[in-house]
């Protein structure tokens, strides 16, 4: 029996003892049965034949430095509404991520929702489209949300940083600290009942905590809002067996929101 079968078995047993109606099998199956095949095949690489290199060109000492793009600090966001906050993010150049982004990825979904998801930062697909969680990890997040009996449009989704860190690296402490006031204002404006933190990065920068493996599945609190840390969907794409843990965490959130 694989993990999926075990979960279905447990849910059936529980459903028959309590009479409760559970999640549609199709929605859970879509989250759990993500094919393993999407991993890239390891290619044999042939080392390139070394070409003769031209002699190094001496750089004259007078070579001008490339101009540093001006970093303009974020204004006080405390009293901003959605429109002003969004505009402010779109024009932001407050951290070193600004010059290399294509689009600012502000957030998406319902601004009047009980449930919010927070990721790390945009990847290549998100940078291209200006929308959070639209790549492979995003597809899995969408399935997680459906398994929780919500539509993606019914929850709010945002990230710690709004601009793509080059090469998909994690945001630096500085970048996260500079961008965080935008997310904090988004949380204030949405004022959800529960927040799901996706992975170590939001756990670190929103809660100041390390150790996602130890902390996942444990309720914590942010400004009176219940917060549930769990694994990031990109981690689940690499480790599908961890979906069982994530499903437990999401079910705690569903129970709290009256979805079970
Ligand atoms: N990963 C994230 O953390 N956020 C996104 O928006 C996309 C992928
Ligand atoms: Fe501004 Fe945040 Fe983008 Fe940095 S990541 S430029 S702080 S919006």
């Amino acid at each position: 029996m694989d993990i999926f079968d075990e979960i279905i078995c447990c849910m059936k047993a529980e459903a028959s003892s309590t009479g409760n109606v559970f999640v549609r099998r199709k929605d859970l199956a879509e989250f759990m049965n993500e094919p393993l095949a999407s991993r890239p095949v390891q290619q044999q690489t042939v080392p390139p034949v070394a070409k003769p290199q031209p002699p190094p060109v001496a750089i004259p000492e007078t070579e001008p430095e490339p101009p540093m793009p001006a970093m303009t600090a974020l204004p006080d966001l405390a009293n901003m509404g959605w429109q002003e906050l969004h505009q402010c993010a779109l024009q932001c150049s407050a951290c070193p991520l600004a010059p290399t982004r294509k689009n600012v990825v502000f957030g998406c979904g319902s601004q009047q929702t009980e449930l919010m998801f927070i990721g790390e930062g945009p990847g290549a697909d998100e940078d291209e489209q200006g929308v959070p969680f639209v790549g492979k990890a995003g597809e899995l997040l969408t399935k997680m949300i459906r398994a929780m009996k919500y539509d993606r449009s019914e929850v709010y989704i945002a990230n710690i940083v709004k601009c793509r860190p080059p090469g998909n690296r994690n945001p630096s402490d500085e970048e996260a600290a500079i961008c965080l006031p935008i997310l904090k204002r988004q949380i204030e404006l949405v004022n959800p009942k529960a927040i799901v933190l996706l992975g170590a990065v939001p756990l670190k920068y929103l809660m100041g905590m390390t150790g996602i493996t130890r902390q996942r599945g444990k309720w914590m609190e942010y400004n009176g809002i219940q917060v549930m840390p769990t694994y990031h969907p990109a981690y689940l794409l690499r480790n599908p067996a961890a979906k069982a843990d994530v499903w437990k965490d999401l079910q705690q959130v569903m129970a709290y929101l009256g979805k079970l």
Side-chain angles (χ1 to χ4, degrees):
M1 247 201 312
D2 66 13
I3 288 154
F4 170 64
D5 290 328
E6 275 179 40
I7 291 171
I8 292 286
C9 269
C10 291
M11 289 173 71
K12 275 189 184 160
E14 191 156 346
S16 59
S17 67
T18 62
N20 283 342
V21 178
F22 280 86
V23 182
R24 279 161 56 208
R25 185 186 168 98
K26 180 177 146 289
D27 290 333
L28 180 59
E30 281 191 355
F31 164 45
M32 288 296 172
N33 271 358
E34 191 70 7
L36 280 160
S38 51
R39 294 188 203 175
V41 178
Q42 288 259 319
Q43 297 269 346
Q44 285 279 342
T45 51
V46 181
V49 181
K51 286 192 195 139
Q53 294 292 318
V57 181
I59 298 168
E61 274 181 37
T62 52
E63 182 95 351
E65 290 275 315
M68 281 291 285
M71 293 207 333
T72 311
L74 277 168
D76 181 14
L77 310 177
N79 297 309
M80 284 190 185
W82 279 110
Q83 274 209 341
E84 211 183 340
L85 185 67
H86 194 180
Q87 273 312 311
C88 187
L90 292 183
Q91 294 161 10
C92 181
S93 63
C95 93
L97 296 177
T100 49
R101 74 177 176 227
K102 283 191 186 144
N103 283 295
V104 174
V105 180
F106 179 67
C108 74
S110 169
Q111 296 163 351
Q112 283 99 21
T113 180
E114 54 194 13
L115 180 57
M116 192 163 167
F117 291 81
I118 299 175
E120 304 175 356
D125 297 305
E126 292 77 19
D127 184 40
E128 203 66 53
Q129 296 182 41
V131 181
F133 284 100
V134 289
K136 277 264 168 283
E139 279 174 28
L140 185 53
L141 176 63
T142 304
K143 289 174 187 174
M144 287 162 59
I145 293 168
R146 286 217 68 89
M148 294 176 78
K149 302 196 215 169
Y150 287 93
D151 190 77
R152 194 182 141 113
S153 64
E154 294 175 321
V155 304
Y156 194 79
I157 305 171
N159 283 307
I160 293 289
V161 291
K162 311 306 189 204
C163 303
R164 183 194 182 198
N168 295 350
R169 64 166 170 77
N170 284 350
S172 69
D173 291 352
E174 183 202 11
E175 291 152 1
I178 295 174
C179 202
L180 205 56
I182 303 179
L183 178 66
K184 289 187 168 175
R185 185 65 188 146
Q186 287 173 301
I187 297 172
E188 254 172 28
L189 288 169
V190 174
N191 190 25
K193 279 179 76 180
I195 296 175
V196 176
L197 300 182
L198 300 165
V201 169
L203 179 66
K204 179 173 178 188
Y205 293 115
L206 194 70
M207 305 304 299
M209 294 175 80
T210 56
I212 186 66
T213 311
R214 263 174 298 111
Q215 300 302 337
R216 62 142 279 273
K218 295 182 189 163
W219 282 115
M220 30 193 87
E221 204 186 300
Y222 170 82
N223 287 355
I225 301 166
Q226 290 301 111
V227 173
M228 175 60 68
T230 195
Y231 293 129
H232 193 285
Y235 173 77
L236 296 182
L237 291 173
R238 288 176 271 122
N239 300 278
K243 286 181 181 179
D245 283 334
V246 169
W247 181 233
K248 280 188 218 155
D249 305 343
L250 298 181
Q251 279 183 298
Q252 289 197 67
V253 178
M254 291 168 73
Y256 176 66
L257 296 175
K259 284 279 188 171
L260 279 187

